[in-house]
Amino acid sequence: MLSMLCVRVCPGVTGLRAASLVRRLHRFSGMSADQIDEEVAKLLQLKAQLGGDEGKHQFVLKTAKGTRDYNPKQMAIREKVFSTIVSCFKRHGAETIDTPVFELKETLTGKYGEDSKLIYDLKDQGGELLSLRYDLTVPFARYLAMNKITNIKRYHIAKVYRRDNPAMTRGRYREFYQCDFDIAGQYDAMIPDAECLKIVYEILSELDLGDFRIKVNDRRILDGMFAVCGVPDEKFRTICSTVDKLDKMPWEEVRREMVEEKGLSEQAADQIGEYVSMQGGMDLAERLLQDQKLSQSKLACAGLADIKQLFSYLQLFQVTDKVVFDLSLARGLDYYTGIIYEAVLTQAGVAAACGEAQNGAGGEESVSVGSVAGGGRYDGLVGMFDPKGRKVPCVGVSIGIERIFSIMEQKAEASAEKIRTTQVQVMVASAQKNLLEERLKLITELWSAGIKAEVMYKKNPKLLSQLQHCEEAGIPLVAILGEQELKDGVVKLRVVASREEVDVSRAELISEIKRRTAEV
């Protein structure tokens, strides 16, 4: 066995070096990757049993590939973004749900097209084959079918998992949050769809990420376009997945993939190329309804009519300045049945939002522009789970939160503004020694009144140290106790920014703190 060989030949080898040695020997052994992983595990177990390195196990201190830790400043930014998004969802009348982080494997299988290979499968647990959730949409559809819910407006913020090739500097991870808003139910066409786009508009505007565009299309238009361009029915989904790469690859590469890898004729590919270069608004939808080829497809005509209706509602919602009808938008997920959309940030917009921080920055430091929100209509997904195939029409949007965080973090670095990582309103301090009990009594009063307060964990801290902590942490007020203040029944309230001090009676202290911090 390779592991025994490594232990005999290199008894003092560390766990990592031994693992590396086994993997190098793999080239000559003909073993499978799973067999090699098993041998590595055995080797590490033997290493632990044999001891060595003075009996200490050598841990590798790192996060798993495609994941990261978040420090307090980063978490303060994240909480602010989440607060903005949740506030918008609630403003539009949504309620929230939660679902398990893993689902039965069969629940997720066959819902994501070519992206299904990115699903994390778990080992057999008590007879159930499980997978980590890939998104929040399929679990939502399962939830609706399982509970026989026919209409709901819900939001869901939770982590999802994808066995993707991570690009950490662009906000692409294997573990990340999604913020979903969905409307399920039978309603008149395009009203819920328009509200989803309005929500994207509101969130991106409020977060002040810079200039953005919301691209819209319809899967029926795409399918109609593929049909009239000569794409065989069985190739619709795979060609759609290739067209979906147009935001990452130039047309020449997309065309080559369609022709050389997926067997599409050059003539069909060229006709698709003519259509996917088109962008516009309601006027483009009207023009395509008269198009000699596309007008032959009833499916495409139905989609174009809905696009026209959508733009009429978007005009009423006052968001058409940011929305564009783009025939290159495909979104490769299999479950979409109608309107699809995607929000992207412009290069100039990101640079402006970050205070031109990208200029002169290294390639890995700058934030690449990409999709920050996406969604669409998926009327057939719930029916796939319902035993009787009953459909519940659904439309929704997912906010690409990690990419937004990357930009917000860069904005914070470019700005001189100090980020507060706590919400403490007042520090309870003492000017003399032996006042710990009095400080603890006062802070108990403040906590009981709902005041966010802090005290140093020392019996006799120096006043200067307490004041310096307030300046570093951004705490706006200090309530200072001294022997004279205790005799007079007052507390010296100090404003950290201006260093102004005023004596406040103990009875009025809570209301005074609330009044002053309400102004901050």
Side-chain angles (χ1 to χ4, degrees):
M1 298 292 283
L2 290 177
S3 57
M4 294 304 296
L5 176 64
C6 288
V7 172
R8 286 175 187 156
V9 175
C10 308
V13 74
T14 65
L16 280 176
R17 288 179 58 205
S20 175
L21 178 58
V22 173
R23 292 185 189 283
R24 286 202 299 274
L25 288 172
H26 168 50
R27 297 180 219 163
F28 308 103
S29 70
M31 294 173 112
S32 69
D34 287 342
Q35 288 172 313
I36 287 295
D37 287 339
E38 187 178 343
E39 290 303 313
V40 169
K42 288 178 183 176
L43 176 60
L44 292 174
Q45 187 177 7
L46 283 168
K47 172 68 178 171
Q49 291 171 356
L50 290 169
D53 295 332
E54 299 178 353
K56 293 181 180 178
H57 181 68
Q58 299 296 309
F59 288 101
V60 180
L61 294 177
K62 64 184 287 292
T63 59
K65 183 179 180 182
T67 66
R68 64 181 288 199
D69 294 322
Y70 295 93
N71 63 40
K73 286 186 178 179
Q74 291 167 327
M75 285 306 298
I77 294 170
R78 291 170 76 87
E79 286 182 348
K80 182 180 178 183
V81 174
F82 278 137
S83 175
T84 298
I85 292 171
V86 170
S87 176
C88 180
F89 289 163
K90 289 183 175 179
R91 185 165 62 244
H92 285 263
E95 50 195 349
T96 190
I97 67 165
D98 196 11
T99 61
V101 73
F102 46 79
E103 296 274 351
L104 294 177
K105 182 177 179 179
E106 64 184 30
T107 299
L108 306 183
T109 301
K111 312 300 189 301
Y112 302 106
E114 294 186 2
D115 283 351
S116 289
K117 62 182 180 291
L118 304 181
I119 294 174
Y120 269 111
D121 291 333
L122 304 178
K123 286 190 175 180
D124 181 7
Q125 298 293 327
E128 290 186 332
L129 294 177
L130 307 173
S131 299
L132 292 177
R133 61 186 172 204
Y134 177 90
D135 66 4
L136 301 179
T137 306
V138 171
F140 174 55
R142 189 266 308 152
Y143 171 85
L144 294 181
M146 185 172 150
N147 293 284
K148 296 181 172 56
I149 296 170
T150 55
N151 39 314
I152 186 175
K153 186 190 292 186
R154 82 88 171 86
Y155 73 90
H156 189 185
I157 297 178
K159 286 183 176 180
V160 298
Y161 299 85
R162 297 185 184 181
R163 202 177 61 208
D164 202 352
N165 192 22
M168 309 284 274
T169 55
R170 297 204 304 271
R172 274 181 58 189
Y173 303 91
R174 288 181 163 183
E175 178 195 62
F176 57 95
Y177 273 99
Q178 279 193 339
C179 300
D180 281 21
F181 173 95
D182 293 84
I183 301 171
Q186 188 73 52
Y187 304 108
D188 289 341
M190 295 300 104
I191 302 175
D193 311 65
E195 184 172 12
C196 287
L197 295 176
K198 174 66 171 174
I199 285 169
V200 176
Y201 182 97
E202 288 180 2
I203 289 172
L204 296 184
S205 298
E206 193 170 343
L207 291 175
D208 194 23
L209 298 171
D211 192 29
F212 62 90
R213 291 289 177 273
I214 304 173
K215 300 187 289 186
V216 302
N217 198 4
D218 194 297
R219 283 297 277 267
R220 293 167 297 174
I221 298 173
L222 282 167
D223 286 350
M225 176 182 72
F226 293 151
V228 300
C229 290
V231 178
D233 290 356
E234 66 274 11
K235 290 185 182 290
F236 276 17
R237 292 285 75 86
T238 187
I239 295 300
C240 188
S241 294
T242 302
V243 171
D244 191 39
K245 299 176 182 177
L246 274 170
D247 62 337
K248 306 179 190 73
M249 294 162 42
W251 165 249
E252 291 74 20
E253 291 184 31
V254 169
R255 182 186 185 278
R256 184 162 56 250
E257 181 177 312
M258 282 196 271
V259 174
E260 297 178 8
E261 295 182 26
K262 300 192 172 176
L264 192 66
S265 70
E266 292 188 358
Q267 183 182 6
D270 289 338
Q271 287 183 46
I272 290 172
E274 292 178 14
Y275 282 114
V276 297
S277 64
M278 296 181 181
Q279 293 185 356
M282 188 186 294
D283 57 332
L284 177 58
E286 291 171 345
R287 196 164 73 247
L288 288 172
L289 281 168
Q290 307 302 318
D291 182 85
Q292 189 173 1
K293 286 183 180 176
L294 209 54
S295 61
Q296 296 174 12
S297 167
K298 290 183 178 179
L299 207 58
C301 288
L304 289 166
D306 275 352
I307 288 283
K308 279 184 63 179
Q309 183 71 69
L310 177 71
F311 269 88
S312 71
Y313 294 139
L314 294 178
Q315 285 177 346
L316 297 172
F317 283 152
Q318 300 178 358
V319 299
T320 49
D321 58 315
K322 299 293 186 185
V323 183
V324 58
F325 175 27
D326 187 337
L327 268 75
S328 70
L329 178 64
R331 296 194 63 78
L333 298 177
D334 274 3
Y335 53 65
Y336 288 124
T337 58
I339 289 288
I340 51 177
Y341 33 83
E342 189 169 270
V344 295
L345 302 180
T346 65
Q347 182 71 47
V350 171
C354 295
E356 300 296 329
Q358 295 183 95
N359 292 346
E364 287 199 351
E365 295 297 321
S366 62
V367 176
S368 299
V369 181
S371 170
V372 290
R377 179 160 285 280
Y378 51 101
D379 288 349
L381 189 56
V382 177
M384 295 173 71
F385 296 112
D386 191 283
K388 296 182 179 179
R390 289 170 294 205
K391 293 185 177 181
V392 178
C394 296
V395 65
V397 64
S398 181
I399 308 297
I401 201 75
E402 303 298 342
R403 188 161 283 168
I404 288 174
F405 286 145
S406 296
I407 297 167
M408 295 291 283
E409 285 174 22
Q410 186 168 344
K411 277 182 67 178
E413 288 174 14
S415 168
E417 183 182 354
K418 186 177 178 68
I419 298 172
R420 285 200 65 191
T421 56
T422 74
Q423 297 181 9
V424 176
Q425 297 165 284
V426 60
M427 176 87 177
V428 176
S430 56
Q432 285 110 21
K433 292 183 178 180
N434 303 319
L435 293 174
L436 174 61
E437 289 185 9
E438 296 299 333
R439 283 190 289 138
L440 297 184
K441 286 178 185 176
L442 178 56
I443 201 168
T444 300
E445 290 177 25
L446 298 179
W447 286 337
S448 298
I451 301 287
K452 300 179 181 76
E454 192 175 17
V455 66
M456 272 202 167
Y457 304 133
K458 286 188 175 182
K459 288 184 177 180
N460 297 305
K462 293 179 181 179
L463 181 59
L464 182 60
S465 298
Q466 296 170 89
L467 297 177
Q468 283 177 338
H469 173 73
C470 292
E471 290 185 0
E472 291 167 4
I475 299 172
L477 297 174
V478 191
I480 304 172
L481 289 172
E483 291 175 1
Q484 189 61 47
E485 283 79 13
L486 289 170
K487 286 178 184 177
D488 297 341
V490 299
V491 174
K492 194 176 292 297
L493 198 61
R494 178 186 175 101
V495 180
V496 175
S498 66
R499 302 188 178 180
E500 167 204 354
E501 292 183 348
V502 60
D503 287 343
V504 181
S505 71
R506 194 78 169 243
E508 296 175 354
L509 180 63
I510 289 169
S511 59
E512 183 65 16
I513 290 172
K514 288 183 177 180
R515 184 186 70 81
R516 286 178 178 268
T517 52
E519 297 170 358
V520 175

Short mmCIF file of all heavy atoms in Angstrom, two decimals, residues 481-504:
data_model
loop_
_atom_site.label_atom_id
_atom_site.label_comp_id
_atom_site.label_asym_id
_atom_site.label_seq_id
_atom_site.Cartn_x
_atom_site.Cartn_y
_atom_site.Cartn_z
N LEU A 481 -18.61 58.70 36.24
CA LEU A 481 -18.93 58.72 37.67
C LEU A 481 -17.69 59.10 38.48
O LEU A 481 -16.58 58.63 38.17
CB LEU A 481 -19.41 57.34 38.13
CG LEU A 481 -20.80 56.89 37.66
CD1 LEU A 481 -21.02 55.44 38.05
CD2 LEU A 481 -21.89 57.77 38.23
N GLY A 482 -17.88 59.93 39.48
CA GLY A 482 -16.83 60.28 40.42
C GLY A 482 -17.43 60.42 41.80
O GLY A 482 -18.66 60.39 41.97
N GLU A 483 -16.59 60.54 42.80
CA GLU A 483 -17.10 60.64 44.17
C GLU A 483 -18.02 61.85 44.34
O GLU A 483 -19.07 61.76 44.99
CB GLU A 483 -15.92 60.72 45.15
CG GLU A 483 -15.15 59.41 45.24
CD GLU A 483 -13.92 59.52 46.13
OE1 GLU A 483 -13.70 60.63 46.68
OE2 GLU A 483 -13.20 58.52 46.28
N GLN A 484 -17.64 62.99 43.73
CA GLN A 484 -18.46 64.19 43.86
C GLN A 484 -19.79 64.02 43.15
O GLN A 484 -20.85 64.43 43.65
CB GLN A 484 -17.71 65.41 43.30
CG GLN A 484 -18.37 66.75 43.58
CD GLN A 484 -18.47 67.03 45.08
OE1 GLN A 484 -17.51 66.86 45.83
NE2 GLN A 484 -19.65 67.43 45.54
N GLU A 485 -19.78 63.40 41.95
CA GLU A 485 -21.01 63.17 41.19
C GLU A 485 -21.98 62.28 41.98
O GLU A 485 -23.19 62.50 41.98
CB GLU A 485 -20.70 62.51 39.84
CG GLU A 485 -20.14 63.45 38.78
CD GLU A 485 -18.65 63.74 38.97
OE1 GLU A 485 -18.00 63.02 39.77
OE2 GLU A 485 -18.16 64.68 38.34
N LEU A 486 -21.42 61.27 42.67
CA LEU A 486 -22.26 60.37 43.47
C LEU A 486 -22.92 61.13 44.63
O LEU A 486 -24.09 60.90 44.95
CB LEU A 486 -21.43 59.20 43.99
CG LEU A 486 -20.99 58.18 42.93
CD1 LEU A 486 -19.98 57.21 43.52
CD2 LEU A 486 -22.19 57.42 42.37
N LYS A 487 -22.15 62.03 45.25
CA LYS A 487 -22.71 62.82 46.35
C LYS A 487 -23.82 63.74 45.87
O LYS A 487 -24.85 63.91 46.54
CB LYS A 487 -21.60 63.66 47.00
CG LYS A 487 -20.64 62.87 47.86
CD LYS A 487 -19.55 63.78 48.43
CE LYS A 487 -18.52 62.96 49.22
NZ LYS A 487 -17.42 63.83 49.72
N ASP A 488 -23.61 64.33 44.65
CA ASP A 488 -24.58 65.29 44.10
C ASP A 488 -25.75 64.62 43.38
O ASP A 488 -26.68 65.31 42.94
CB ASP A 488 -23.87 66.26 43.15
CG ASP A 488 -22.81 67.11 43.85
OD1 ASP A 488 -22.89 67.21 45.10
OD2 ASP A 488 -21.94 67.65 43.15
N GLY A 489 -25.69 63.31 43.22
CA GLY A 489 -26.78 62.61 42.52
C GLY A 489 -26.82 62.91 41.04
O GLY A 489 -27.90 62.92 40.43
N VAL A 490 -25.63 63.16 40.43
CA VAL A 490 -25.55 63.46 39.00
C VAL A 490 -24.54 62.53 38.33
O VAL A 490 -23.79 61.82 38.99
CB VAL A 490 -25.15 64.93 38.75
CG1 VAL A 490 -26.18 65.88 39.35
CG2 VAL A 490 -23.75 65.21 39.27
N VAL A 491 -24.56 62.57 37.00
CA VAL A 491 -23.56 61.87 36.17
C VAL A 491 -23.00 62.90 35.20
O VAL A 491 -23.76 63.69 34.62
CB VAL A 491 -24.19 60.70 35.39
CG1 VAL A 491 -23.18 60.08 34.44
CG2 VAL A 491 -24.74 59.65 36.35
N LYS A 492 -21.70 62.90 35.03
CA LYS A 492 -21.08 63.82 34.07
C LYS A 492 -21.16 63.18 32.68
O LYS A 492 -20.54 62.15 32.44
CB LYS A 492 -19.63 64.11 34.44
CG LYS A 492 -19.04 65.32 33.68
CD LYS A 492 -17.64 65.61 34.15
CE LYS A 492 -17.59 66.13 35.59
NZ LYS A 492 -18.30 67.42 35.73
N LEU A 493 -21.93 63.76 31.79
CA LEU A 493 -22.12 63.22 30.44
C LEU A 493 -21.19 63.95 29.49
O LEU A 493 -21.27 65.18 29.35
CB LEU A 493 -23.57 63.38 30.00
CG LEU A 493 -24.02 62.51 28.82
CD1 LEU A 493 -23.88 61.02 29.13
CD2 LEU A 493 -25.47 62.82 28.45
N ARG A 494 -20.30 63.21 28.86
CA ARG A 494 -19.29 63.80 27.97
C ARG A 494 -19.59 63.42 26.53
O ARG A 494 -19.82 62.24 26.22
CB ARG A 494 -17.89 63.31 28.37
CG ARG A 494 -16.74 63.84 27.47
CD ARG A 494 -15.45 63.15 27.89
NE ARG A 494 -14.33 63.51 27.02
CZ ARG A 494 -13.39 64.41 27.31
NH1 ARG A 494 -13.45 65.08 28.45
NH2 ARG A 494 -12.40 64.63 26.48
N VAL A 495 -19.60 64.43 25.64
CA VAL A 495 -19.73 64.18 24.20
C VAL A 495 -18.33 63.95 23.65
O VAL A 495 -17.47 64.85 23.72
CB VAL A 495 -20.41 65.38 23.48
CG1 VAL A 495 -20.52 65.10 21.99
CG2 VAL A 495 -21.78 65.65 24.09
N VAL A 496 -18.09 62.76 23.13
CA VAL A 496 -16.73 62.37 22.72
C VAL A 496 -16.20 63.27 21.61
O VAL A 496 -15.05 63.71 21.65
CB VAL A 496 -16.71 60.89 22.29
CG1 VAL A 496 -15.32 60.50 21.75
CG2 VAL A 496 -17.08 59.99 23.46
N ALA A 497 -17.03 63.58 20.62
CA ALA A 497 -16.55 64.34 19.46
C ALA A 497 -16.14 65.76 19.84
O ALA A 497 -15.07 66.25 19.43
CB ALA A 497 -17.63 64.37 18.38
N SER A 498 -16.95 66.45 20.63
CA SER A 498 -16.68 67.85 20.97
C SER A 498 -15.99 68.03 22.32
O SER A 498 -15.52 69.12 22.65
CB SER A 498 -17.99 68.63 20.98
OG SER A 498 -18.84 68.18 22.04
N ARG A 499 -15.94 66.95 23.12
CA ARG A 499 -15.38 66.97 24.48
C ARG A 499 -16.17 67.87 25.43
O ARG A 499 -15.70 68.22 26.51
CB ARG A 499 -13.90 67.37 24.45
CG ARG A 499 -13.06 66.44 23.58
CD ARG A 499 -11.59 66.68 23.68
NE ARG A 499 -10.87 65.72 22.85
CZ ARG A 499 -9.54 65.69 22.73
NH1 ARG A 499 -8.79 66.56 23.39
NH2 ARG A 499 -8.96 64.78 21.96
N GLU A 500 -17.36 68.22 25.03
CA GLU A 500 -18.26 69.01 25.90
C GLU A 500 -18.74 68.11 27.04
O GLU A 500 -19.04 66.93 26.84
CB GLU A 500 -19.46 69.50 25.07
CG GLU A 500 -20.60 70.04 25.90
CD GLU A 500 -21.95 69.98 25.18
OE1 GLU A 500 -21.99 69.63 23.98
OE2 GLU A 500 -22.96 70.29 25.83
N GLU A 501 -18.80 68.66 28.26
CA GLU A 501 -19.26 67.91 29.41
C GLU A 501 -20.40 68.65 30.10
O GLU A 501 -20.36 69.89 30.21
CB GLU A 501 -18.12 67.69 30.41
CG GLU A 501 -17.04 66.76 29.90
CD GLU A 501 -15.94 66.47 30.92
OE1 GLU A 501 -15.89 67.19 31.96
OE2 GLU A 501 -15.15 65.55 30.67
N VAL A 502 -21.40 67.90 30.57
CA VAL A 502 -22.53 68.51 31.26
C VAL A 502 -22.99 67.56 32.38
O VAL A 502 -22.97 66.33 32.20
CB VAL A 502 -23.69 68.80 30.27
CG1 VAL A 502 -24.17 67.53 29.60
CG2 VAL A 502 -24.84 69.50 30.98
N ASP A 503 -23.34 68.12 33.52
CA ASP A 503 -23.86 67.31 34.62
C ASP A 503 -25.35 67.05 34.40
O ASP A 503 -26.13 67.98 34.18
CB ASP A 503 -23.65 68.02 35.95
CG ASP A 503 -22.19 68.00 36.40
OD1 ASP A 503 -21.43 67.18 35.85
OD2 ASP A 503 -21.82 68.82 37.26
N VAL A 504 -25.73 65.78 34.47
CA VAL A 504 -27.13 65.39 34.27
C VAL A 504 -27.59 64.62 35.50
O VAL A 504 -26.87 63.73 35.99
CB VAL A 504 -27.29 64.51 33.01
CG1 VAL A 504 -28.74 64.12 32.81
CG2 VAL A 504 -26.74 65.21 31.79
#
